Amino acid sequence: MADEPIEALGNKTPLQYAQTPYMDKLAQLGITGRMQTVPEGYLPGSEVANLTILGYDLPKMYEGRAVLEAASMGVNLEAGEVALRCNLICIEKELIKNHSAGHITTEEADELIKTLNEKLGSDMVRFHTGVSYRHLLVLKTGSKELDCTPPHDVPLHPFQPLMIEPLVPEAEDTAKLLNALILKSQEILKDHPVNQKRIIEGKDPANSIWPWSPGYRPAMQTMSEMLGFEKGAVISAVDLIRGIGVYAGLDVIQVEGATGLYDTNYEGKAQAALDALKTHDFVYLHIEASDEAGHEGDVDLKVKTIEYLDRRVIRLIFEELQQWDEPVAIAILPDHPTPCAIRTHTNKPVPFLIYKPGEQPDKVMAFDEYVVENGKYGILEKDEFIKKVVLY
Ligand SMILES: [Zn+2]
């Protein structure tokens, strides 16, 4: 949701420009500030920002995104196992044509992953089907000290020089094994019926695996252990966020029609959050739509997603909670900025508001990136935000 001033909006940010009466109301009733969701030394990935928001100290527990996706896929990692994100990619004339094999369908990918398990699977090597081009490779033992290249960073680069390098001598065997798997996967996938059919249809074949983001099972305390509440829940369409929820000890709640895009089921997610609050002490409701609009660089769509969030989620939750006897705190923040101008994430502090019934508000009367600079909480980092939300 967070962005930069945009000329087409009269030098306002989408959040300043959008009509957001309910976020403004909650800012008036609550206390505002900014949060450094991306700690120094980390790239502004969604997993980094969301883990930090929930109070995790990244240097102590960060293992990359693959292990979190594993959790959302129901893959339970044992101690010593190494998990890697395993993309199905398209290589053409020795070049990485794209990182997604032309956004292959999950059904097609599942057939390829099954074949890879038949031919390359062993006590040591296991592939797991995820979604579209995003899958998982688990090694029974190995080192995670590897130099792997995210394939979306290197379109049209020759793949050979980008193969996996060990960062320490102990990782040499693991790197060798993974590189051998990449080359063998290319032999196996080349003539696979799924790919033959894709080629005939003019689509990109998924003719190689590409493992990256190696990690071990993260040493994560649950949020209950860290913060003392009994039961929490997470609602998100994004596998990464659900995986964080699994390790955080939150119940993962599925909502029909939750897509992770601007056409998501906003009202359904709001209702699911309200239902969950009847049985849980804490609910983490994540809506991806504005981030996707930012990646597309679509200013009008971004404004619309923010207005949808205000009217179709926050309004419903706020109005319903007004009827409850038990007071419920509401906090709102983006995980990181995704400015439309650059179409990728940045590490700037994000605006937040925390409304707790009965607490003295600060003087901030609206909710956007700039007005909250006057907020009482200043800039929070690490677990300061979640403690202010959860602890009374
Ligand atoms: Zn994003």
Side-chain angles (χ1 to χ4, degrees), residues 309-345:
L309 175 71
D310 195 72
R311 195 171 73 237
R312 298 172 62 185
V313 178
I314 296 167
R315 178 175 70 85
L316 304 184
I317 292 173
F318 177 67
E319 287 183 346
E320 165 83 15
L321 291 180
Q322 298 290 94
Q323 317 295 322
W324 289 19
D325 292 333
E326 187 183 14
V328 179
I330 303 175
I332 299 171
L333 83 171
D335 50 359
H336 49 70
T338 311
C340 289
I342 58 167
R343 301 178 59 171
T344 188
H345 304 170

Side-chain angles (χ1 to χ4, degrees), residues 245-308:
V246 171
Y247 283 119
L250 305 177
D251 291 333
V252 179
I253 293 172
Q254 309 278 1
V255 175
E256 197 138 336
T259 58
L261 292 170
Y262 15 85
D263 63 352
T264 196
N265 180 2
Y266 295 90
E267 291 83 1
K269 290 180 95 164
Q271 190 55 51
L274 287 165
D275 291 344
L277 278 170
K278 290 174 185 155
T279 45
H280 295 72
D281 307 296
F282 172 80
V283 176
Y284 194 55
L285 172 58
H286 171 257
I287 304 220
E288 179 80 343
S290 303
D291 177 63
E292 287 297 331
H295 285 299
E296 289 182 20
D298 190 331
V299 174
D300 293 340
L301 183 61
K302 188 155 183 185
V303 169
K304 200 186 268 182
T305 61
I306 294 169
E307 292 181 342
Y308 281 164

Side-chain angles (χ1 to χ4, degrees), residues 131-200:
V131 176
S132 179
Y133 61 90
R134 307 188 300 273
H135 308 283
L136 185 75
L137 170 56
V138 178
L139 305 179
K140 194 77 207 158
T141 60
S143 171
K144 67 156 189 175
E145 301 299 327
L146 302 166
D147 182 10
C148 300
T149 307
H152 51 263
D153 286 347
V154 285
L156 303 179
H157 285 57
F159 82 90
Q160 285 280 6
L162 298 173
M163 294 198 34
I164 295 167
E165 299 280 348
L167 291 169
V168 296
E170 304 81 76
E172 260 169 41
D173 288 347
T174 311
K176 243 184 233 162
L177 170 65
L178 290 167
N179 287 330
L181 289 172
I182 292 174
L183 296 178
K184 281 184 199 155
S185 80
Q186 297 179 357
E187 282 166 36
I188 293 164
L189 295 174
K190 188 170 50 154
D191 298 319
H192 194 285
V194 166
N195 279 330
Q196 286 177 337
K197 185 156 173 279
R198 285 183 67 80
I199 291 167
I200 290 168

Side-chain angles (χ1 to χ4, degrees), residues 62-80:
Y62 185 65
E63 293 285 341
R65 59 170 56 209
V67 296
L68 302 171
E69 291 173 341
S72 85
M73 289 159 67
V75 175
N76 185 30
L77 297 172
E78 307 286 337

